Amino acid sequence: MQEVYLDNAATTKMRNAVVLAITETMQKDYGNPSSSYRIGRKAKSLIETSRKTIAKLLNATSGEFYFTSGGTEANNWALRSAVKDLGVKHIISTKIEHHAVLRTIEALKEEYKIEVTYLNVNEVGTIDIVQLERVLQSTPNALVSLMHVNNEIGTILDLNRVGALCRANNALFHTDAVQSVGHMPLDLNSLEVDFLTASAHKFHGPKGVGFLYIKKTNVLKPLVYGGEQERGLRAGTEALYNIVGLGKALALAYSNLDQETETLRDLKSYFITQLYHAIPNIAFNGLSEDLAKTTHTILNVRFPVTASQTELFLFQLDLKGIACSKGSACQSGSTVKSHVLNEILDPEALEQLSIRFSLSIFNTKADIDYTVQVLKSLIK
């Protein structure tokens, strides 16, 4: 049976060079980074080398990056600390954010009685920028939390425009960039972003490690107390092997960015064309078929099949060796419909089957051909 992995928005396969870097570190550099003797100092130097690599690639200073267990922890840290440490009384977001943001905001609303405004989004997942400006102008002590690339429909936020609005109105700006770091260029020195989160396993690195970027003008307190790791802001012995893997994966992602982006755009375009030719009456959710306005990695397809058949349909694809999803991996197994599609689709469209396919450099046209063939056989 052919195996086709098309759920790269959930997680990605590690590059061989990343696996080798991690394995070598595990075998040779097993010292505790907090120890003062030689093998401890070597471990510490590897962590700082990865931090400097990230900083150089994203055009920021190394002291602005803190390693975490992934994007979820980083999002929690940024949002919670903004409320606890920086006096934020009002969070502005949308209902199509990742649950790592949405549920943190709801918890903060309950615990600290902060105000929350959810911006309107249109049928393609774009925010109402006029509404954002109006809310910012009337809201002191605010933080805006908007994801850079939506993990279900691939819509891209204009970070420059939102950041400029936040700065003009003295608001903080947090962006969940889990789906964009390693996939598109980011210049944090020129962006008005206060907090940015990333996760290594989304760009062919290891699971269990990510980072939080904190612009140096913001001073947060620890979310986890204990030792002096991460300059006293995140206690606990560092995940050395994962941090090395993160640095290696990000370096490889950006060294090959232009070529791999072009390859994936071509592959996504080919997928769209083949779907149109093979299956009548399909549609694409959001702007996911627009290569200029969405990420080159995500395609969200709506099929002329009822939504009640979704789980059976995905099971049938799985039996044919095709891995894809109906949305965020964090909702896998849930019978609840996608909260993102629920916000942007009309009731009739919402009753149809929608599937997210997400691509990586390990996919080929042969994968697409096989997938389209199977889809066509299932939709009769």
Side-chain angles (χ1 to χ4, degrees):
M1 180 177 64
Q2 189 166 341
E3 293 285 343
V4 177
Y5 183 73
L6 293 172
D7 201 20
N8 291 280
T11 195
T12 57
K13 176 183 177 180
M14 279 198 289
R15 298 179 195 256
N16 288 338
V18 175
V19 175
L20 290 173
I22 292 172
T23 303
E24 182 178 350
T25 305
M26 293 176 75
Q27 292 173 333
K28 297 181 179 179
D29 301 299
Y30 50 85
N32 189 314
S34 296
S35 299
S36 59
Y37 41 74
R38 184 183 58 81
I39 59 173
R41 295 196 306 271
K42 175 64 182 305
K44 182 69 172 177
S45 73
L46 291 173
I47 290 174
E48 297 312 315
T49 297
S50 288
R51 201 188 312 273
K52 289 174 184 176
T53 297
I54 296 165
K56 183 177 180 180
L57 292 168
L58 300 181
N59 195 22
T61 63
S62 59
E64 294 175 302
F65 293 92
Y66 297 84
F67 294 113
T68 67
S69 62
T72 295
E73 181 193 335
N75 284 330
N76 271 261
W77 188 5
L79 294 170
R80 283 191 161 274
S81 293
V83 172
K84 291 170 57 182
D85 306 330
L86 301 179
V88 165
K89 305 295 183 185
H90 193 136
I91 294 180
I92 303 165
S93 190
T94 74
K95 290 187 177 181
I96 65 170
E97 304 302 307
H98 192 278
H99 279 112
V101 168
L102 288 175
R103 289 174 179 165
T104 303
I105 290 174
E106 287 303 306
L108 290 169
K109 182 180 178 181
E110 179 71 21
E111 292 175 42
Y112 295 94
K113 312 305 177 186
I114 61 169
E115 292 185 64
V116 178
T117 296
Y118 293 107
L119 300 173
N120 299 323
V121 294
N122 61 19
E123 67 279 1
V124 296
T126 301
I127 66 166
D128 185 337
I129 198 76
V130 174
Q131 181 192 16
L132 172 60
E133 184 171 19
R134 185 172 65 249
V135 174
L136 283 171
Q137 289 173 345
S138 62
T139 306
N141 304 318
L143 175 138
V144 173
S145 180
L146 298 169
M147 68 198 319
H148 187 197
V149 173
N150 187 276
N151 62 307
E152 292 196 24
I153 56 175
T155 302
I156 301 172
L157 179 74
D158 187 339
L159 291 180
N160 284 298
R161 190 174 184 188
V162 173
L165 274 179
C166 290
R167 191 61 59 234
N169 291 278
N170 298 312
L172 295 170
F173 181 26
H174 160 256
T175 187
D176 177 339
V178 164
Q179 293 292 341
S180 61
V181 169
H183 296 288
M184 57 182 64
L186 287 165
D187 184 344
L188 293 177
N189 187 54
S190 64
L191 288 171
E192 296 289 357
V193 172
D194 293 284
F195 310 105
L196 177 143
T197 58
S199 190
H201 74 106
K202 305 295 187 176
F203 49 84
H204 305 289
K207 297 173 180 63
V209 65
F211 63 79
L212 172 63
Y213 162 81
I214 306 173
K215 189 178 284 290
K216 54 181 172 288
T217 53
N218 298 301
V219 180
L220 302 186
K221 293 181 181 178
L223 190 64
V224 177
Y225 288 88
E228 295 303 312
Q229 294 88 353
E230 292 303 289
R231 301 185 295 288
L233 289 187
R234 186 182 184 270
T237 303
E238 299 92 338
L240 173 63
Y241 321 125
N242 280 348
I243 291 170
V244 168
L246 186 161
K248 183 69 173 180
L250 197 62
L252 289 170
Y254 280 114
S255 66
N256 299 295
L257 187 64
D258 291 343
Q259 177 186 345
E260 291 180 353
T261 297
E262 183 178 355
T263 298
L264 283 169
R265 279 182 179 150
D266 288 344
L267 193 62
K268 181 176 175 178
S269 178
Y270 180 74
F271 198 0
I272 292 167
T273 301
Q274 296 307 108
L275 284 169
Y276 269 132
H277 287 167
I279 306 171
N281 302 318
I282 63 166
F284 296 93
N285 294 319
L287 289 171
S288 64
E289 86 281 14
D290 189 328
L291 297 175
K293 295 181 179 178
T294 59
T295 178
H296 45 278
T297 57
I298 294 174
L299 190 63
N300 200 301
V301 190
R302 192 165 72 251
F303 295 93
V305 176
T306 61
S308 61
Q309 296 176 261
T310 300
E311 296 304 326
L312 177 60
F313 199 88
L314 289 173
F315 177 68
Q316 290 173 317
L317 289 174
D318 184 34
L319 288 177
K320 297 290 185 178
I322 299 170
C324 53
S325 67
K326 61 181 179 179
S328 172
C330 301
Q331 289 180 278
S332 180
S334 171
T335 57
V336 178
K337 294 177 182 177
S338 160
H339 70 289
V340 174
L341 298 184
N342 192 59
E343 289 295 313
I344 68 170
L345 295 182
D346 61 45
E348 183 178 350
L350 201 58
E351 286 307 311
Q352 291 185 307
L353 165 67
S354 290
I355 296 179
R356 181 188 68 180
F357 300 96
S358 42
L359 307 167
S360 86
I361 55 169
F362 293 106
N363 290 124
T364 64
K365 284 188 175 181
D367 290 339
I368 302 306
D369 290 337
Y370 176 71
T371 300
V372 172
Q373 175 190 336
V374 172
L375 287 167
K376 185 178 180 179
S377 71
L378 294 176
I379 300 174
K380 300 173 183 177

